[in-house]
Amino acid sequence: MKVPSTELQDRVSNFQNRLQKSGIAGALLVQRADTLYYSGTAQNVHVYIPSAGTPIIMAFRDFLRAQSESPWVVIQLQGMSKIPKYILDTGLPLPEILGLELDVLPVNQFERYRKLFPNVRFVDVSNEIRLQRSVKSKWELARLDESAQLHTFVLEFAKEILHPGMTEAELEGLLVGKARSLGHGGYVRMRGFDAEFHVGAITSGARAAVSSCFDGPVTGQGVSIAHPSGASMAQIKSGEPIVVDMVSVVNGYQIDQTRMLSLGPLSKELIKVYEVARRVEEKIRCALVPGRVAGEVYEEIITWVRENTPYEENFMGYGISRVRFVGHGVGLELDELPTISKGSKVVLESGMVVAIEPKFVFPGIGAVGIEDTVVVVDELGAKYISMSPRELIII
Amino acid sequence: MKVPSTELQDRVSNFQNRLQKSGIAGALLVQRADTLYYSGTAQNVHVYIPSAGTPIIMAFRDFLRAQSESPWVVIQLQGMSKIPKYILDTGLPLPEILGLELDVLPVNQFERYRKLFPNVRFVDVSNEIRLQRSVKSKWELARLDESAQLHTFVLEFAKEILHPGMTEAELEGLLVGKARSLGHGGYVRMRGFDAEFHVGAITSGARAAVSSCFDGPVTGQGVSIAHPSGASMAQIKSGEPIVVDMVSVVNGYQIDQTRMLSLGPLSKELIKVYEVARRVEEKIRCALVPGRVAGEVYEEIITWVRENTPYEENFMGYGISRVRFVGHGVGLELDELPTISKGSKVVLESGMVVAIEPKFVFPGIGAVGIEDTVVVVDELGAKYISMSPRELIII
C-alpha cells in the first residue's frame, strides 16, 4: 500500500513550518523511518527537504522502486559527493543552516557531510521530527488498526498451540511465524542506538523476572549470553504466568501489546496482581488527555500504585532494574515520543499513540501485566487501538 | 555459554597491541557486538580498554548479569557523566587520545563524550576492531560450526513442509520459527547504519529478481513498501526457483547460507546456471588463501565469469542493481570484514570467515545461486563451515 500523496504533502508542509520557525533552510534526512515518513519509500534514499518548495529524493537503491513509490522528484544517487550538486540543479540555493538527524547519524557519516557542505552550519532536527511523528494522521491510525487486527489472529493461534512441554522459544517461533504468514513485516524498528527487540518476547515463570539490557520492565532471559532477552530455551510450566509481549507491524506501523497466558490456573495472588495491572492500565488510559504533561501523568500513576496497592516495589521492574516509564510512543518505530516517563515535559496532543504497559515483577516467581496501544483523543481518555480481549487466557 | 576468560584475555591483549602501535591511550566502546567481543557480556555496558592493564566494564543494565558473565571488573554505571571518575578510580590516568567507534556512534552521543573528556583528542578505532574481529579464534570457529549445524536442521524441515500454495512469507515464518525453537538468537546483527535483514529471506520466481534497499545481489520484494525486502505474500509456484537465504545464529555467531529449492523440476537453463554458480563458488573458495588481496580475488572472479559464462550481466544482480562484491565477512555481525569487493585492499589471513555468494539474476524469471560460509586456512583454499548438502533441492 502506497502512502497517499496528500498525506505526504501534509507531512512535508508540517515539517517545513517547523524548519521556518527555527530559521533552518533545509534538512537532509537519511534514517529509514524518517525517509519513509516524508518520501513514501523505504528504499535506500537521502531526502532533502527545503524550508519551502518540493523535496528531492536521492535514491541509491533501488532507484526504480523509490521512483514508483514516492510522489516527489526522485534522482538516482550516483555518490554522496554529488548531493550538493543535485540540490543546486533543482534551482534551490545551498542552505546556510542544514538540519540533520544527529540523534542517529554516525560520526563518520556526519564528517562526510561536513566536507560536502563546507560553509554550512549543522543543527539537530531529530526532536522536531520525533514530535511531528508522535501525532498520527487518520491514515496512520487506519494502518495501526490493521496491525492491531493481525495481532488478534496471532493470539487466537496461541490458544490453539500452547501445550505443556513447549519451550518459550518454540512458542515465540510459532507465533512470529504465524504473524509473518499474515503479512507482518518481520522485524521491529527502533530508533535508540543499538536497540534490539524480538518481534515476540515470550517469557514465563521466574525467567520473566530476570532483567536485561533491554529498557523495559519485563524482558526475559534470552537463549544465550549473546541474545540475553526475549524467549529462553526453558519449558513453559503449568501454573506459571506466561508473558506474551509482541510487536505487530503491517505497512510499517507497529503496535505493541502484551497478554498473559497460562497452562492451568494461576495462583490467587497472581490473579489479584493481574486485576491491579488492568486497573492501573485504565488509570493510565484515562489520564492520557490533550494538554496534560507526560511526566505528570507518570507521577500520578506511580503515586496511585504506591498509595493503593502493596506492589510499589514490584511495579515496572524490581529493585535497580525498575524502569522509569509506564508508556512509550509507538508507530514506525517502537521507541517514539511521547514517553510517559519521569520528568518528560512533552504535552499530550490528540493523535499521539502510546503503548501503555503496567507490569509487576516478582523475583523468583514471574511477571504479571498488560500492554495496549492507545491513541490520545479528548478529555474522556485515550482510545484503545489494540483489540484483543484483555482477560487472562487460561489454557 | 560463557566466553572463556582466556579467550577474552587474548582479545584484549591483541587490541591493546593495536592501540599501542597507534599511540592511543585507551578506547571507550559501546556497540553491542564490540562490547560482547571484549567483555563477554551483551548487557548494556560501556567498555573502557586502556592500552595496558585491565579493562573496566561499566554496566547500565543488567548489572548483575554483566558481572556474572564478564571476568573483568564490572562497575554499576550510575550515569554517563561518571565515566571519567570510574576510570580515575581504578588508578588509570585519563587518556590524552581516546579511541571511539566513530563508524557507528551517533553524533549526539559523541558530543556527550566530548563534554565529559574536555581535553582529550578522539580517534576512530572501528577499523582496527573490525580487522581484529575478522580473524576468528578456534573457540569462535566452534561457535560458527554450531550455527552451521542448526542450519542443516532448518533445511531438512524445509523439505518436509514446502508444498504448493504456500506463500513466501509462510515458508519464511515456519523456517525461522523452527530455527528459533532450536536456539536461534532471533534476529540478525549488522553494523552498517540503518542496515536491516530478515533472519530468513525467502524469495521465489520473478520476485527474486527484484532489487531493494538491501545491499545484496538477491533481496526479494518484501511484504509491503515499508518492508521492501525478503519474503513477499506471493504464492510459491511449481517450477520456479526458490532462494532460501538464511542467517543462523547460535551464541551470537552468525553464518550466512543460501540454498535453492523448487516444487518440481527447474528448466534446463536454470539448472545450468546453478551448475555455473557452484563452479564460481569453488573458484572463490579456492582463491581465498592467506596473503591474497580481497579486491584482487574479486577481479579474478568477475573476469572468470565474463570470459567463461554467458551470464556476466546477470552476475551479482542485474543492471544498475548489481552489487560489487562476491563475499563478505561474517561473525557477530553480518557485514564484517573482509569484503571480497571491488577495490578492497584487505589482505586475507588464516582464520578470516567469509560468506561467499555467487548469484545470478534474470529479470522476470528469478534468481539462482548459492552461498556458503567458509574460513580462510591455507594455500589449498578456504574450508567450508556450512555443512548442508549443496545440490538443488527438488520437492
Side-chain angles (χ1 to χ4, degrees), chain A residues 32 43 61-62 65 102 105 107-108 124 172 180 185 187 189 194 196 198 211 213-214 221 226 228 321, chain B residues 32 43 61-62 65 105 107-108 124 172 180 185 187 189 194 196 198 211 213-214 221 226 228 321:
Chain A
R32 184 157 287 112
Q43 299 298 326
R61 69 197 307 252
D62 181 85
R65 292 179 76 181
L102 297 183
L105 195 68
V107 173
N108 286 350
D124 184 16
E172 197 241 76
R180 194 73 175 119
Y187 48 77
R189 288 200 172 109
D194 232 7
E196 299 173 332
H198 291 93
S211 158
C213 51
F214 189 80
Q221 185 177 281
S321 299
Chain B
R32 184 157 286 114
Q43 299 297 328
R61 69 199 304 253
D62 179 85
R65 292 179 77 181
L105 195 69
V107 173
N108 286 350
D124 184 17
E172 197 240 77
R180 193 74 175 119
Y187 47 78
R189 289 200 172 109
D194 231 7
E196 299 173 331
H198 292 94
S211 157
C213 49
F214 188 78
Q221 185 178 282
S321 300

Side-chain angles (χ1 to χ4, degrees), chain A residues 151-271:
Chain A
H151 217 112
T152 62
F153 286 98
V154 175
L155 273 174
E156 283 305 309
F157 184 64
K159 293 181 193 172
E160 288 170 26
I161 59 167
L162 182 62
H163 63 80
M166 200 170 213
T167 66
E168 294 174 6
E170 190 181 355
L171 178 59
E172 197 241 76
L174 289 170
L175 296 188
V176 174
K178 179 68 173 179
R180 194 73 175 119
S181 74
L182 295 169
H184 190 293
Y187 48 77
V188 176
R189 288 200 172 109
M190 294 190 74
R191 192 169 192 97
F193 177 63
D194 232 7
E196 299 173 332
F197 195 65
H198 291 93
V199 167
I202 314 287
T203 177
S204 64
R207 291 163 298 279
V210 174
S211 158
S212 81
C213 51
F214 189 80
D215 187 25
V218 179
T219 71
Q221 185 177 281
V223 293
S224 72
I225 281 177
H227 285 83
S229 63
S232 79
M233 296 299 281
Q235 284 188 348
I236 296 169
K237 288 187 192 138
S238 293
E240 286 186 337
I242 308 166
V243 183
V244 176
D245 185 352
M246 274 189 75
V247 180
S248 279
V249 49
V250 177
N251 286 308
Y253 283 87
Q254 304 179 150
I255 72 148
D256 196 359
Q257 188 177 304
T258 302
R259 289 294 182 268
M260 299 297 308
L261 287 77
S262 73
L263 283 163
L266 293 181
S267 71
K268 279 184 188 168
E269 175 79 12
L270 291 177
I271 290 172

Side-chain angles (χ1 to χ4, degrees), chain A residues 80-93:
Chain A
M80 267 167 62
S81 63
K82 300 206 172 120
I83 292 174
K85 182 181 175 297
Y86 292 143
I87 295 173
L88 290 167
D89 282 352
T90 64
L92 290 167

Side-chain angles (χ1 to χ4, degrees), chain A residues 320-383:
Chain A
I320 59 170
S321 299
R322 289 179 73 182
V323 297
R324 294 189 171 189
F325 65 86
V326 295
H328 55 90
V330 61
L332 292 174
E333 293 170 315
L334 191 65
D335 47 355
E336 296 199 354
L337 295 179
T339 51
I340 312 302
S341 60
K342 192 171 179 69
S344 168
K345 296 195 169 65
V346 173
V347 178
L348 299 178
E349 286 179 53
S350 180
M352 284 181 168
V353 170
V354 185
I356 55 182
E357 53 172 327
K359 290 172 182 169
F360 296 88
V361 173
F362 302 88
I365 297 170
V368 171
I370 188 167
E371 178 173 27
D372 278 292
T373 299
V374 302
V375 55
V376 178
V377 183
D378 55 29
E379 68 281 2
L380 295 175
K383 274 173 68 175

